[in-house]
Amino acid sequence: MTSKPAAAAAQATVYGYPRQGANRELKKAIEGYWKGRVTADALRATAAELRTANWRQLATAGVHEVPTGDFSYYDHVLDTTVMVGAVPARHRAAVAADALDGYFAMARGTQDVAPLEMTKWFDTNYHYLVPELGPDTVFTANSAKQVAELKEALALGIAARPVLVGPVTYLLLAKPAPGVAADFEPLTLLDRLLPVYAEVLADLRAAGAEWVQLDEPALVQDRTPAELNAAARAYRDLGSLTDRPKLLAASYFDRLGDALPVLAKAPIDGLALDFTDAAAANLDALAAAGGLPGKRLIAGVVNGRNIWINDFEKSLATLGTLLGLADRVDVAASCSLLHVPIDATAERDIDPQILRWLAFAKQKTTEIATLAKGLSQGTDTISAELAANRADLASRAGSAITHDPAVRARAAAVTDADGRRSQPYADRAVAQRSHLKLPLLPTTTIGSFPQTTELRTARADLRAGRIDTAGYEQRIENEIREVISFQEKTGIDVLVHGEPERNDMVQYFAEQLTGYLATQHGWVQSYGTRYVRPPVLAGDISRPEPMTVRWTSYANSLTERPVKGMLTGPVTMLAWSFVRDDQPLGDTARQVALALRDEVNDLEAAGTSVIQVDEPALRETLPLRAADHAAYLNWATESFRLTTSGVRPETQIHTHMCYAEFGDIVQAIDDLDADVISLEAARSHMQVARELAAHGYPREAGPGVYDIHSPRVPSAEEAAELLRTGLDAIPAERLWVNPDCGLKTRGWPETQTSLENLVAAARTVRGELPAS
């Protein structure tokens, strides 16, 4: 394929870049600041060094216009809350006293003040802090961060484009503040918010911004006519400003749908659209809307959410089509590169053949620059890159790793009966109560206990050869004994072994399943300073041998109380991995489910009576458009049932979900047919309990009473009050008492006190129940 150069030189750009640094320098500096070991000035210096390094790397790779404002100490939505002056009343004194400490207090809370609620950023595994707004909210502009970071980039001689969360998305992501009526709609504040954005835009123009990008990913979701009208009004008003830079509205993660003509007709200067497979409909929709005559189009043709190499010829064909639809076409990733690791070349343990298939953020910027060059100067100028790309794509397509006949035959033989328990829930519940003999309001935890320095040191010592396997396993046994002993003394009813052997709830299993690859440096931000290393799901999946039976059985040998077996479910295994893109997700999920089914059955055979299969990603993976929900939920719930349906009626199946909006998937939660579900509820004040009740959810549930994403320790009375609220929605015979999530990231002292308070709360409320 040979193409002629574009009439106007296409530029390469990105919407955002990983914040943490090659060695997670930002995480270390922030956590050092929290512990008093790093000064505020030293933290700011580290942050500035990381921003500079990112911008220089992008410029060196051939990116013509770098993003600014995407960097964050914790979360870019929280940064927007600060920018528009929407600090909650309970945090204003702290922010006024010290802006940095007040910022972290909003994110993490303090012992006396609750943090902002946290939930998933669209259908990703990134978490944002939810703005709290009400009819009395007063917005005030504070552009200091955005202006300062723009000036930093410009001072380096690098062309830069500030990136802001757009006003419509900001309001659509917000929730009513505590004490505000639940039916309050933050979008009604749009006319109050737009003048603040106008002021910020003027400040950025004065600081040297030629372009400013306003991200509006909320518009790729189904939107009402009123919401679309609000978007039209917002960009009419902002576009009509006289003192402003050029405005670029950006969307990503899915097709823009009815919002595309709204933004295309707005008096702004350009659009940035996703043109990867998930949003391929944007191309036809843009043509139907008449294109963008006289405007700039940034085409997101490189997948910013996955780590597979781009198909250059396919992308160039898309770009060639787009040339006739806009005055200027530039090339970008489909979204911020925040969602991928930094550099694939740092991975020394991955087979070089497979490494050819991978592109992390650094490689994606090179791909974008290559495509921009090919579009601008003609494909003859990138002939070597095209040839190498074809060879790499062919290598992957023909690899034995991606095709295991035995795995595919087993998946093809699955029947509907394989995904159904042998008895209905009502009968199972009777058998389980007789077998487990638990009290009303039984207490448990979600699975993990604090990952101490000693545990991390033990893993490092094993990798470095400083201890042998026997020495490492002795340390794990010691930790399990301590965790079991603490839970027994505290009075917890259903125990866990604490997962000391696990580095991550997905990676641990991925390292033991065929078809998965683990990275050493593939860190991606989940929230704040919490980074994960998503494994790479590269081929067909099977389980060579048991993965968890050894440690669960050991824990069971230490106590007479039930100990939960702990697994990560098939949907979460996909969602928190970089999943293969060469077959339908449902096919991959079925393979993972069958591997996990073998593990569930082995746990039961070894004497485990309670088995938890976590699916925290079920909601986050829900497609952004309602038209796509049914197909996804069909394979997602089927894969969970396939994992769990091979056990006896008296074996109790638990699942867990956290930090998402559950109201629109309650039917899917019901369809999982788990005996018990535990859910995040502390920050949302038991909202999910009310949602379950409104649905008529018939099984047992544990809405969390302890927010584990904050260092604050809830009092026994605070937990008891949440529990009483839960009882308003869920009867005592079906209500469990548990934290919101696993305790891996917490310290031992706060964990011990919090769980003691949780058990005390359960006993108090249990004593308040009417005699049966």
Side-chain angles (χ1 to χ4, degrees):
M1 181 188 82
T2 301
S3 69
K4 296 179 180 179
Q11 292 191 343
T13 188
V14 297
Y15 310 157
Y17 203 73
R19 304 159 176 163
Q20 68 267 26
N23 296 301
R24 292 181 293 159
E25 291 91 343
L26 184 62
K27 169 187 172 69
K28 296 167 186 174
I30 292 173
E31 292 180 352
Y33 176 73
W34 291 342
K35 294 174 182 177
R37 296 199 296 258
V38 173
T39 66
D41 286 344
L43 172 57
R44 294 187 182 100
T46 296
E49 290 168 3
L50 292 172
R51 289 193 295 269
T52 296
N54 284 349
W55 293 327
R56 284 180 168 156
Q57 186 274 314
L58 290 169
T60 300
V63 171
H64 301 93
E65 185 183 51
V66 304
T68 66
D70 61 303
F71 180 89
S72 181
Y73 286 122
Y74 206 95
D75 167 48
H76 59 280
V77 181
L78 179 60
D79 295 342
T80 309
T81 292
V82 174
M83 183 187 81
V84 301
V87 174
R90 66 185 182 278
H91 288 289
R92 287 174 195 158
V95 171
D98 186 293
L100 186 59
D101 288 345
Y103 175 89
F104 287 130
M106 285 191 285
R108 307 172 70 230
T110 67
Q111 187 55 43
D112 301 319
V113 182
L116 294 173
E117 183 179 338
M118 186 165 63
T119 195
K120 298 294 175 71
W121 175 249
F122 297 93
D123 57 348
T124 74
N125 189 37
Y126 178 81
H127 302 66
Y128 74 93
L129 290 155
V130 182
E132 297 177 357
L133 306 177
D136 297 329
T137 297
V138 175
F139 296 113
T140 56
N142 177 4
S143 61
K145 173 185 184 295
Q146 290 72 25
V147 167
E149 292 179 11
L150 171 63
K151 288 182 175 179
E152 286 178 25
L154 295 177
L156 297 172
I158 297 173
R161 181 183 71 252
V163 177
L164 310 177
V165 175
V168 179
T169 288
Y170 180 75
L171 293 176
L172 289 172
L173 293 178
K175 62 175 290 184
V180 172
D183 60 355
F184 172 75
E185 295 184 4
L187 192 59
T188 59
L189 301 174
L190 180 63
D191 290 337
R192 201 181 300 176
L193 181 62
L194 290 177
V196 172
Y197 268 81
E199 188 174 340
V200 171
L201 291 172
D203 290 345
L204 289 168
R205 183 189 184 199
E210 179 185 3
W211 287 85
V212 169
Q213 177 175 319
L214 296 169
D215 283 359
E216 294 287 6
L219 295 181
V220 306
Q221 297 172 300
D222 296 314
R223 290 299 165 200
T224 65
E227 291 166 340
L228 293 173
N229 287 338
R233 189 169 77 253
Y235 283 91
R236 178 200 66 202
D237 291 358
L238 293 177
S240 300
L241 296 170
T242 56
D243 185 15
R244 68 165 177 85
K246 295 176 183 178
L247 296 182
L248 178 79
S251 72
Y252 36 82
F253 299 148
D254 210 319
R255 57 198 182 274
L256 202 48
D258 292 339
L260 196 152
V262 171
L263 294 178
K265 294 173 184 176
I268 57 176
D269 307 283
L271 290 184
L273 299 177
D274 185 345
F275 291 102
T276 57
D277 289 344
N282 276 338
L283 197 157
D284 291 339
L286 183 61
L292 297 174
K295 295 185 179 182
R296 178 186 187 186
L297 172 64
I298 298 184
V301 293
V302 172
N303 193 324
R305 297 181 56 178
N306 214 329
I307 46 70
W308 304 108
I309 57 171
N310 186 257
D311 183 334
F312 283 174
E313 291 185 346
K314 181 178 178 181
S315 293
L316 286 167
T318 298
L319 292 166
T321 303
L322 291 171
L323 284 175
L325 297 177
D327 184 60
R328 165 183 168 188
V329 177
D330 293 331
V331 185
S334 60
C335 60
S336 170
L337 296 177
L338 171 72
H339 306 289
V340 295
I342 293 177
D343 185 5
T345 63
E347 301 301 328
R348 306 298 186 191
D349 297 334
I350 295 179
D351 184 326
Q353 176 193 354
I354 297 173
L355 204 59
R356 297 165 54 194
W357 311 341
L358 306 183
F360 293 178
K362 192 171 182 179
Q363 288 71 44
K364 287 182 185 293
T365 59
T366 300
E367 289 183 331
I368 293 164
T370 299
L371 290 168
K373 181 180 178 181
L375 187 63
S376 295
Q377 303 176 28
T379 52
D380 288 346
T381 64
I382 58 167
S383 58
E385 290 91 338
L386 283 169
N389 181 250
R390 288 189 207 101
D392 292 343
L393 292 170
S395 168
R396 182 183 174 206
S399 172
I401 293 170
T402 60
H403 296 86
D404 184 326
V407 171
R408 291 177 177 254
R410 186 185 181 195
V414 169
T415 66
D416 289 344
D418 293 326
R420 291 196 298 268
R421 297 286 294 270
S422 62
Q423 291 186 9
Y425 169 71
D427 295 341
R428 301 196 311 261
V430 172
Q432 290 162 17
R433 286 168 188 157
S434 174
H435 180 62
L436 295 172
K437 297 180 174 58
L438 299 173
L440 288 175
L441 308 181
T443 55
T444 190
T445 64
I446 303 305
S448 62
F449 265 64
Q451 287 273 319
T452 62
T453 300
E454 291 76 15
L455 284 173
R456 289 190 289 269
T457 300
R459 277 197 288 273
D461 286 347
L462 179 65
R463 288 194 300 269
R466 291 186 290 269
I467 59 173
D468 58 15
T469 300
Y472 172 73
E473 292 182 349
Q474 183 61 55
R475 294 190 193 183
I476 297 299
E477 288 183 357
N478 293 343
E479 185 72 18
I480 292 173
R481 278 199 304 273
E482 182 177 345
V483 167
I484 293 292
S485 175
F486 165 74
Q487 292 174 94
E488 286 192 318
K489 291 175 184 175
T490 303
I492 293 174
D493 298 303
V494 176
L495 314 186
V496 298
H497 78 288
E499 305 176 12
E501 78 285 6
R502 303 186 189 183
N503 45 13
D504 176 82
M505 66 180 290
V506 172
Q507 184 179 352
Y508 176 77
F509 294 98
E511 289 174 344
Q512 301 181 73
L513 294 169
T514 62
Y516 263 105
L517 306 172
T519 69
Q520 293 300 314
H521 305 283
W523 297 103
V524 176
Q525 186 180 19
S526 178
Y527 66 87
T529 61
R530 169 77 168 139
Y531 290 83
V532 295
R533 281 183 297 165
V536 178
L537 203 166
D540 288 340
I541 300 297
S542 61
R543 185 200 70 148
E545 59 186 12
M547 302 178 287
T548 66
V549 174
R550 154 81 186 278
W551 299 117
T552 305
S553 296
Y554 176 71
N556 265 313
S557 74
L558 301 174
T559 181
E560 296 299 317
R561 299 183 190 184
V563 177
K564 286 193 286 190
M566 302 297 307
L567 305 177
T568 301
V571 176
T572 301
M573 288 294 297
L574 267 62
W576 293 1
S577 301
F578 292 116
V579 68
R580 62 190 299 181
D581 59 357
D582 58 347
Q583 69 179 19
L585 284 174
D587 293 356
T588 306
R590 178 172 287 193
Q591 292 180 4
V592 176
L594 289 169
L596 294 174
R597 182 185 178 97
D598 294 341
E599 188 72 14
V600 168
N601 294 345
D602 283 348
L603 281 167
E604 182 187 59
T608 303
S609 298
V610 182
I611 301 171
Q612 181 170 307
V613 180
D614 289 344
E615 282 292 19
L618 181 70
R619 172 60 182 83
E620 79 182 46
T621 314
L622 186 72
L624 298 176
R625 293 282 184 179
D628 304 325
H629 288 185
Y632 159 72
L633 291 172
N634 182 58
W635 66 254
T637 55
E638 180 217 54
S639 66
F640 181 90
R641 293 192 305 272
L642 185 59
T643 298
T644 58
S645 291
V647 297
R648 298 186 296 269
E650 64 269 25
T651 297
Q652 190 173 72
I653 295 294
H654 288 226
T655 191
H656 169 68
M657 299 179 191
C658 59
Y659 292 93
E661 302 295 332
F662 301 111
D664 50 1
I665 61 161
V666 174
Q667 182 58 55
I669 292 173
D670 198 346
D671 292 342
L672 296 177
D673 198 26
D675 301 304
V676 182
I677 183 169
S678 55
L679 300 125
E680 175 274 326
R683 287 197 186 187
S684 59
H685 309 288
M686 289 285 160
Q687 176 180 335
V688 71
R690 295 185 288 273
E691 291 168 344
L692 292 174
H695 173 78
Y697 186 74
R699 301 175 189 82
E700 299 175 40
V705 298
Y706 163 25
D707 173 17
I708 68 87
H709 289 287
S710 170
R712 66 185 300 271
V713 175
S715 67
E717 180 51 36
E718 180 182 340
E721 191 56 36
L722 282 172
L723 192 50
R724 295 183 189 105
T725 302
L727 280 169
D728 291 339
I730 301 171
E733 61 269 19
R734 292 196 283 110
L735 186 64
W736 284 65
V737 186
N738 46 259
D740 275 347
C741 201
L743 301 167
K744 175 181 177 178
T745 61
R746 301 270 53 93
W748 255 109
E750 69 199 72
T751 295
Q752 291 171 329
T753 305
S754 297
L755 291 180
E756 289 165 356
N757 290 347
L758 181 149
V759 171
R763 288 172 176 161
T764 295
V765 177
R766 203 178 285 148
E768 298 168 357
L769 297 173
S772 57

